Amino acid sequence: MLKTAICDLFGIRHPVIQGGMAHLGTVELVSAVSNAGALGIIGAGHYEPDWVRQQIRLTRKQTRQPFGVNIQLASPFAREVIEMVLEEKVAIVATGAGNPVPYIPRFKQAGMLVMPVVASVDLARRLEEAGADAIVAEGTESAGHIGDTTTMALVPQVVDSVRIPVVAAGGIADGRGLVAALALGAQGAQIGTRFACSQESVAHPRYKQKILEADDRSTVVSGQATGFPLRSLKNSLTEQYIELEKAGVTREELEMFGRGRMYLGLIDGDIDDGSLLSGQIAGLIKEIKPVRVIIEEIINEAETILAGLNNLRTGASDG
Ligand SMILES: Cc1cc2nc3c(=O)[nH]c(=O)nc-3n(C[C@H](O)[C@H](O)[C@H](O)COP(=O)(O)O)c2cc1C
């Protein structure tokens, strides 16, 4: 059995984390992931605190295993959601799209485990100092809001810069990715796109079908002009959005144009005019599977690869 510091820290069987996903990190996916021995994370996205509270309470009914909540710091409700997770005594808090340093002391006083998502060594260091318990180093291959550095380059640099456990994110969808993350010094893998395209994900079937049809070059980064670059599948929306950016329209106009597009794409299934968040690894995903099968396959494949690598070292494969 693969066991790492992340398994001990969070009390989980497998060193796999389902990244918090706006609209898709709901009770259905989160409880399935946690019940399968990995860590499920609710995505607060830009939802109001009451919606997130309901997801927490529903998830508690569906699983007795640990799970977390991802707080989008760019959300207009971020502060209220922070108060609510403190009230609800959520065990594990992940944060994305911003700097959570000011909030960490309160989470720690409440006895919570804090795992921010970062795209740079500098922020990882500052968060360790502020009291984070683990760090997700997320490479530019990832779905959603991203930084510039690749997973391959970012993870070992973050690992060398902090003492707390590091989780690799971005471009991981199978056992090969998990082993690569471990080889880079990470204690586990955070996975988004693969779980977004699972049976339990509440994403619209047309979104899942687009992921199945994607290849290695199907995603594009938009939003460079707003300072919040976003990776998603190429479609009519990304084409128009990037045209507007090139034309130099204001940040406000871009925000207006982009408003509501994630729900439209992920939940309503408008594959042309909605935002279809996806990582570059989408091209590897060829089947919609139940979460339990996805996790079992990742772990079994990782163990087979590790055994094979060991044979390579000892020359045992030569007979
Ligand atoms: C549909 C979708 C929504 C996401 N929403 C969030 C979010 O709200 N907050 C966050 O920190 N990350 C978000 N992510 C990123 C994931 O948590 C994860 O870190 C990322 O997908 C990992 O890269 P991968 O897709 O290559 O596995 C989202 C990803 C997807 C696919």
Side-chain angles (χ1 to χ4, degrees):
M1 274 274 281
L2 269 179
K3 203 165 182 290
T4 71
I6 282 293
C7 301
D8 296 333
L9 182 67
F10 296 133
I12 53 178
R13 241 185 7 259
H14 305 305
V16 171
I17 295 173
Q18 166 250 311
M21 291 186 275
H23 307 297
L24 306 186
T26 60
V27 49
E28 293 83 354
L29 180 60
V30 175
S31 58
V33 170
S34 289
N35 283 331
L39 184 71
I41 298 188
I42 293 170
H46 286 209
Y47 280 98
E48 295 189 24
D50 280 349
W51 182 89
V52 187
R53 192 194 298 274
Q54 193 195 19
Q55 293 298 315
I56 293 168
R57 293 187 175 175
L58 289 171
T59 304
R60 282 184 174 144
K61 287 195 183 139
Q62 297 298 323
T63 183
R64 301 179 67 177
Q65 303 306 315
F67 67 90
V69 175
N70 175 287
I71 303 172
Q72 266 263 10
L73 296 168
S75 159
F77 300 110
R79 278 169 183 271
E80 291 165 64
V81 171
I82 287 169
E83 293 306 322
M84 184 278 297
V85 297
L86 285 159
E87 273 166 36
E88 287 289 323
K89 302 194 190 325
V90 170
I92 303 163
V93 174
T95 59
N99 174 5
V101 165
Y103 312 110
I104 292 182
R106 285 193 67 206
F107 291 140
K108 294 311 302 169
Q109 272 162 24
M112 295 167 159
L113 293 171
V114 184
M115 180 176 62
V117 181
V118 307
S120 75
V121 167
D122 179 48
L123 189 53
R125 276 205 191 106
R126 282 193 279 145
L127 289 166
E128 178 181 45
E129 252 169 54
D133 298 281
I135 290 281
V136 177
E138 191 188 62
T140 194
E141 301 88 321
S142 296
H145 292 294
I146 49 167
D148 302 321
T149 313
T150 60
T151 305
M152 185 83 167
L154 180 68
V155 173
Q157 295 186 67
V158 173
V159 166
D160 284 354
S161 307
V162 297
R163 289 173 302 276
I164 52 178
V166 176
V167 174
I172 302 170
D174 64 9
R176 291 174 293 183
L178 174 57
V179 172
L182 298 175
L184 294 173
Q187 300 293 315
Q190 169 161 304
I191 296 176
T193 307
R194 173 66 272 196
F195 285 127
C197 195
S198 66
Q199 208 167 291
E200 289 87 345
S201 152
V202 297
H204 195 282
R206 281 198 290 268
Y207 163 80
K208 294 184 190 177
Q209 187 56 34
K210 286 293 281 185
I211 298 276
L212 298 183
E213 289 166 7
D215 64 26
D216 55 320
R217 298 177 66 209
S218 294
T219 71
V220 66
V221 179
S222 58
Q224 301 279 12
T226 63
F228 279 104
L230 185 84
R231 185 178 298 284
S232 53
L233 293 177
K234 290 176 193 166
N235 64 1
S236 162
L237 172 70
T238 58
E239 225 170 89
Q240 291 177 64
Y241 195 98
I242 290 167
E243 277 308 311
L244 287 172
E245 285 187 81
K246 281 188 192 149
V249 305
T250 65
R251 203 180 150 142
E252 288 69 33
E253 280 173 284
L254 282 173
E255 274 170 13
M256 281 294 285
F257 183 74
R259 196 155 293 165
R261 301 287 188 161
M262 266 186 213
Y263 192 92
L264 189 65
L266 299 173
I267 305 297
D268 287 345
D270 186 335
I271 53 173
D272 298 316
D273 294 321
S275 177
L276 309 175
L277 268 60
S278 167
Q280 289 181 327
I281 203 66
L284 205 69
I285 300 167
K286 295 293 170 218
E287 218 183 309
I288 300 168
K289 294 178 182 178
V291 157
R292 186 171 289 278
V293 172
I294 293 173
I295 294 172
E296 274 171 14
E297 285 181 358
I298 291 173
I299 298 300
N300 291 340
E301 190 184 19
E303 282 172 355
T304 305
I305 293 168
L306 284 170
L309 289 173
N310 203 36
N311 286 344
L312 202 66
R313 190 174 61 86
T314 59
S317 57
D318 299 340

